[in-house]
Amino acid sequence: MIAITAATGRLGQAVIEECKARGLTRGVRLTARAPEKLEALKSLGFETARADYDDPASLEAAFAGVETLLLVSGAGSNETRIANHRAAVDAARKAGVKRIVYTSAVNPVPGSKFTWVAAHVATEAYLKASGLAYVLLRDNMYAANLDALLAKARETGVFAMPGARGKVAYVTHRDVAAAAVGALTGAARDNAVYELTGPVAYDGEDVAKALSLALGKPVRAVDAAPEDFAAAFRAAGMPEDVVEALISIYAASEAGEYAGVTGDVEALSGRPATALAAYVKAFFA
């Protein structure tokens, strides 16, 4: 039995699609705070269960009989996510789970400029000390993080982003999901770390070139001022800690924290990772 947490989220939905494509539905339990949203998938052979990170009893019940768990990182502050992830690991151990595949992030070190990486630092350490077998999937920045900026570039002819001079090996949700399913079904070694990246790292100029090709018109790159983006986030009503985290990921990008490229997506999924240029083309198709 395999279980997937946060199955109603964007990554969870991509994992479900990958499971369906592989004919892997029976023996897969989809868990979420609101499992009623997954009800229609039962007809395909999936099981569903309620698993609320804030309700340890629900986690233990949802993980009963499970051998391998995909622990999708939660949302919220570092403190919230650390507590939720620890509750999930504890519940998994109590329920008899043998192996946890965890979706972490690139460069989970205390010195990272990305403030929210602290939750991954703590969770990785907790998993390693848990006594359970683990697989750490360190996801690079998602290509989907650029969606709003891509759409704006179509209107303005400008791709503007703080930290645009830094290279980032953007990875798609679809590729992370394929790698995760590969890890769940035996393609990963126990107690191993996999760096999930796209096949090429892009800076702002590279993204602008991809946009120009996709749109058939010139697009130029601008290294935007972080304070301008922060002001826009505040104007949109975002809490200050979220603003700080979003700005910090741009600083991490500029510092080169996300520039590394690996073949781990292909090693786990059995297919090449998607380049950002292909993602941009599909975004506007």
Side-chain angles (χ1 to χ4, degrees):
M1 176 65 71
I2 292 168
I4 298 162
T5 70
T8 56
R10 182 159 187 170
L11 180 57
Q13 290 291 295
V15 171
I16 290 169
E17 290 303 312
E18 182 68 22
C19 287
K20 287 162 60 177
R22 296 190 186 201
L24 180 65
T25 58
R26 300 195 181 279
V28 177
R29 184 177 298 158
L30 309 176
T31 76
R33 292 178 189 268
E36 62 273 11
K37 295 180 181 179
L38 304 166
E39 191 70 21
L41 293 168
K42 287 184 177 180
S43 64
L44 300 178
F46 289 107
E47 295 182 16
T48 65
R50 177 176 175 270
D52 186 335
Y53 288 144
D54 295 322
D55 180 0
S58 75
L59 296 174
E60 191 172 345
F63 301 159
V66 169
E67 181 174 351
T68 302
L69 172 68
L70 176 61
L71 177 56
V72 176
S73 175
S77 67
N78 282 324
E79 293 75 14
T80 296
R81 286 188 295 152
I82 291 169
N84 288 347
H85 297 165
R86 287 179 175 176
V89 172
D90 292 344
R93 188 169 51 232
K94 291 177 182 176
V97 172
K98 305 298 183 187
R99 185 167 174 261
I100 293 180
V101 178
Y102 173 64
T103 59
S104 185
V106 167
N107 200 36
V109 298
S112 171
K113 292 183 179 295
F114 180 38
T115 59
W116 276 352
V117 84
H120 297 300
V121 174
T123 301
E124 286 195 7
Y126 200 72
L127 263 174
K128 290 175 181 178
S130 70
L132 301 176
Y134 61 85
V135 177
L136 302 178
L137 304 180
R138 292 178 176 168
D139 306 345
N140 207 295
M141 194 189 302
Y142 285 118
N145 289 3
L146 297 178
D147 285 358
L149 302 181
L150 298 179
K152 190 168 184 179
R154 176 170 54 182
E155 298 174 4
T156 64
V158 176
F159 176 74
M161 184 180 75
R165 289 170 293 183
K167 295 273 190 179
V168 178
Y170 297 98
V171 68
T172 68
H173 282 82
R174 180 174 176 268
D175 286 345
V176 171
V181 173
L184 291 169
T185 55
R189 304 182 309 277
D190 282 350
N191 304 335
V193 175
Y194 294 88
E195 305 280 349
L196 303 186
T197 78
V200 182
Y202 289 70
D203 62 16
E205 292 287 347
D206 298 322
V207 178
K209 289 176 184 176
L211 278 161
S212 297
L213 287 172
L215 296 172
K217 67 177 186 180
V219 176
R220 63 186 178 91
V222 171
D223 193 2
E227 55 269 25
D228 291 343
F229 267 52
F233 294 148
R234 293 187 186 103
M238 294 183 184
E240 193 59 32
D241 64 324
V242 175
V243 173
E244 179 186 1
L246 292 175
I247 295 302
S248 74
I249 201 170
Y250 295 130
S253 300
E254 186 170 26
E257 292 189 31
Y258 307 132
V261 172
T262 77
D264 287 352
V265 164
E266 184 169 6
L268 293 177
S269 69
R271 64 178 187 243
T274 306
L276 184 67
Y279 178 86
V280 170
K281 184 177 179 180
F283 182 80
F284 294 110

